[in-house]
Amino acid sequence: MSRVEAPSDLPPTYTEYPTELPAQLPIGPHQVAPIVNVTELQAHLRLLGAIHKLKEVVQSQEDGIATTDRELGWIVFVNRAVYRFFAWTAATRQKTSPSLNETYIPPLDVIMVWHA
């Protein structure tokens, strides 16, 4: 005996990407206003996608430690990224203009550690 799903059982269909968030989001028993907007969410998803692609590239190397153990290759890469993050922050503090702007963006591995 097969069950026919009623239309209310099906997920809603979406024809285009949302351009705005609802005024209130349910968080537990509360309704809370969003603290980010759609553009910021899209930028964050792009960053996560770039980090994922970086991991795939590191793990697919044909030479080096990743050829024998993919996970170990990623661990070594991340540890080196942590070192580079600390070196970048030290160099940033020594600059006469400590403010960051879009013309002064660190490398992706440093951004990944900063994001974590």
Side-chain angles (χ1 to χ4, degrees):
M1 188 186 275
S2 67
R3 178 177 173 252
V4 177
E5 292 183 342
S8 63
D9 292 342
L10 299 174
T13 57
Y14 297 101
T15 55
E16 57 185 68
Y17 291 106
T19 57
E20 59 186 56
L21 296 174
Q24 298 287 311
L25 298 169
I27 307 292
H30 307 284
Q31 292 292 319
V32 180
I35 58 173
V36 296
N37 61 41
V38 171
T39 303
E40 292 166 334
L41 289 172
Q42 290 171 335
H44 188 252
L45 291 174
R46 285 189 184 104
L47 173 62
L48 294 177
I51 292 169
H52 177 73
K53 185 174 181 176
L54 177 63
K55 181 177 182 181
E56 288 179 336
V57 168
V58 167
Q59 291 183 324
S60 67
Q61 296 296 309
E62 294 183 7
D63 58 350
I65 198 161
T67 59
T68 57
D69 185 337
R70 293 180 49 175
E71 285 305 312
L72 183 58
W74 180 244
I75 290 167
V76 169
F77 182 86
V78 170
N79 278 285
R80 186 152 177 81
V82 169
Y83 173 81
R84 287 170 39 88
F85 172 77
F86 283 109
W88 179 79
T89 55
T92 302
R93 277 188 248 130
Q94 293 175 359
K95 296 215 178 269
T96 56
S97 175
S99 64
L100 296 176
N101 61 40
E102 61 217 20
T103 62
Y104 191 69
I105 299 174
L108 182 56
D109 64 326
V110 171
I111 292 173
M112 175 186 70
V113 174
W114 193 358
H115 177 268

